[in-house]
Amino acid sequence: MQGRRNFLKLTAGATIGSLAATLPGTVQAQTCGEINWDESADVIVVGSGFAGLSAALNAKRQGLGSVLVLEKMQVIGGNSAINGGWLAIPKNPIQLAQGVNDDSPEELVKDQIISGRGMQNEPALRQIANRSLDAYDLCIDTGVKFRDGFNIQVGGHNKARAIRTQHGTGGDITTKLYEAGEKEGVDHRLQHYIEDFIMDGQQIIGVKVRKNYRFPDLKTGSTIFIKANKAVVLANGGFARNMALREAVDPSLDPTLDCTNAMGATGEVTLTAMAYGALPVHMNLIQTGHWGSPDEGGFGWSNALLSIGWHQGVAVSVLNGKRFMDERADRKTCSEAIMKNRNADGSPAYPVVFFNYNNYAQDDRVVRALRDKMAWKVDSLDEIATKFDIPIAELKRSIVEYNKHVGDRKDPLFNRKMDTAEELTGPFVVSRIWPKVHYCMGGLKTDLGARVIDGRSMSPIKNLYAIGEATGGIHGEARLSSTSCLECLVMGIIVAETIKTDLQGAV
């Protein structure tokens, strides 16, 4: 359709500078004449993961008019679809049925404050935690199924509050949010890549889009202009796959590390927002997942398998056969401990994690891992030592010591909580571990309502919002497991409420 005419600002490419030329997907704005809008939508959502799909569905439910979701890839879901399907919900029904009655949103925030190491945004964490049951209700309302009776304590949490989707994947949630959005009138479009923002002063009024784009070829497709009548919500995720940007913001991050993210996690929309003044925070805080396996690519099964290994098993260095960490600590603590295991030439000496096979032989986490050869069934400690070249005498001493700690329910070496630990008797399930780049704590600074903050004025950029991993400054140095899905779903609810409030205030 034809609509109001306006002009593109010319600042984007100049602000990004020489880095832009090296980044897949970053477009430097060119001089343009007047714009004839090809179409319009009341709310444009960029990205189709947990955050984007939640925002889109809730925008419809708030009566905000037409809602358009733009996804640059060829499938819905982004990183969310391939994540482990974990969701931290204090006072969730499964938790209460287990008799865990002393949890609360405040307890979750206490754990996140410890993990954040003083860098976290406590009001934001508290807001998200206080609305965690809203996220759970959204899942149930849209048809998401969680595993019966499954609620466990994951790394860095002081309570068992992590539930998991039926199939152990975030796709169980993204699929249902997408289906609900389709039924309620959300327009979802694939292969629509954001080339630039269209600004009227410090107000976003639309986006320049490459339609029928085929990642990562910017020569594919054709350009259209879509007017945003009420709001643009950035839910484009992180930038963990953008090697040039990773190197620029954190040169200390090992560039050889594998990454759990989908290939489209390149962050160009975040960079475009920065070019128009959006304030970035914590861009150098890039988290690794300590449950990664060197024997599979990407996210894989290791995350699921080690939800057993960390609780019922043990992690041992292949260099000396000894334990070297609290297996149930947070991601940052564990990743740093794991990556200290190096051969003399500096190459990784992949530690092993193992637990008893017999109790979990039919568990789908074990069945899949053994099937895909990223874990092995091993009969004895001698066989483990031979297979992974571990000093056998020290390995046996370590396991005798560990089994004593299990019996005592106390770990004097690393102060691990031993309530779920099992005496190791064999046969065993054994896997190797090495961290993978997983999550970007950094991104765009927002207020509690998800409004993007302009770094020049420290006030919101009008009609521009951001949620999920595209934002920064919320979790601090380390994000706890099972809290990203929670954040994304909750902020999708909150941003729709914020947009409605802002529109009412503008009348």
Side-chain angles (χ1 to χ4, degrees), residues 2-243:
Q2 298 296 317
R4 173 185 168 187
R5 295 183 175 186
N6 217 296
F7 294 90
L8 277 177
K9 292 290 185 182
L10 305 179
T11 56
T15 305
I16 295 174
S18 60
L19 178 63
T22 70
L23 299 180
T26 298
V27 176
Q28 301 185 52
Q30 303 294 324
T31 302
C32 293
E34 290 187 337
I35 297 169
N36 292 319
W37 301 105
D38 293 281
E39 56 182 298
S40 69
D42 291 315
V43 178
I44 297 175
V45 179
V46 181
S48 68
F50 297 137
L53 295 175
S54 175
L57 180 59
N58 283 289
K60 289 298 292 186
R61 292 180 174 183
Q62 287 289 343
L64 297 179
S66 58
V67 179
L68 174 60
V69 176
L70 301 178
E71 167 59 54
K72 74 178 183 183
M73 303 301 282
Q74 293 170 281
V75 293
I76 290 288
N79 283 332
S80 299
I82 62 172
N83 99 333
W86 298 91
L87 191 54
I89 306 287
K91 296 191 177 298
N92 72 73
I94 304 173
Q95 181 191 58
L96 296 176
Q98 291 176 340
V100 181
N101 298 307
D102 59 348
D103 198 13
S104 67
E106 191 59 34
E107 284 295 308
L108 171 57
V109 173
K110 286 180 183 178
D111 292 340
Q112 291 177 299
I113 289 171
I114 294 170
S115 178
R117 295 162 170 77
M119 298 287 282
Q120 71 285 339
N121 183 332
E122 292 181 34
L125 292 175
R126 192 162 285 110
Q127 171 180 250
I128 293 165
N130 285 338
R131 300 198 63 175
S132 57
L133 286 173
D134 291 346
Y136 177 82
D137 290 341
L138 175 65
C139 290
I140 298 302
D141 173 65
T142 55
V144 177
K145 302 292 185 184
F146 293 100
R147 296 187 176 191
D148 291 340
F150 189 93
N151 176 79
I152 69 171
Q153 181 179 344
V154 291
H157 293 257
N158 73 67
K159 308 286 183 186
R161 61 170 71 100
I163 58 178
R164 198 166 192 215
T165 58
Q166 187 175 36
H167 298 102
T169 174
D172 284 352
I173 298 175
T174 56
T175 298
K176 294 302 182 183
L177 291 177
Y178 168 77
E179 291 172 351
E182 284 285 296
K183 290 178 181 177
E184 297 183 34
V186 175
D187 185 359
H188 303 88
R189 299 194 196 167
L190 300 173
Q191 296 177 253
H192 279 60
Y193 168 81
I194 305 299
E195 290 189 303
D196 210 343
F197 296 171
I198 303 171
M199 307 293 292
D200 183 0
Q202 278 309 102
Q203 174 180 344
I204 189 166
I205 60 171
V207 287
K208 179 184 178 186
V209 180
R210 184 157 288 269
K211 180 180 179 181
N212 296 324
Y213 161 77
R214 293 184 66 85
F215 177 85
D217 188 355
L218 286 170
K219 296 179 181 179
T220 55
S222 57
T223 296
I224 61 173
F225 296 93
I226 306 177
K227 185 174 183 290
N229 297 324
K230 297 176 180 177
V232 174
V233 180
L234 307 183
N236 52 282
F239 56 88
R241 284 286 183 183
N242 190 325
M243 294 301 293

Side-chain angles (χ1 to χ4, degrees), residues 303-323:
N303 168 267
L305 184 71
L306 289 177
S307 63
I308 305 173
W310 299 141
H311 285 263
Q312 282 78 31
V314 66
V316 171
S317 170
V318 298
L319 298 173
N320 56 26
K322 296 180 180 181
R323 286 180 65 214

Side-chain angles (χ1 to χ4, degrees), residues 79 236-247 249-250 259 261 264-268 270-271 281-286 437 439-443 469:
N79 283 332
N236 52 282
F239 56 88
R241 284 286 183 183
N242 190 325
M243 294 301 293
L245 183 54
R246 272 172 45 181
E247 182 180 3
V249 299
D250 185 4
C259 181
N261 286 199
T266 46
E268 63 274 0
T270 298
L271 289 170
V281 292
H282 295 181
M283 294 290 282
N284 64 314
L285 299 182
I286 300 173
V437 177
Y439 190 89
C440 299
M441 254 74 67
E469 197 179 351

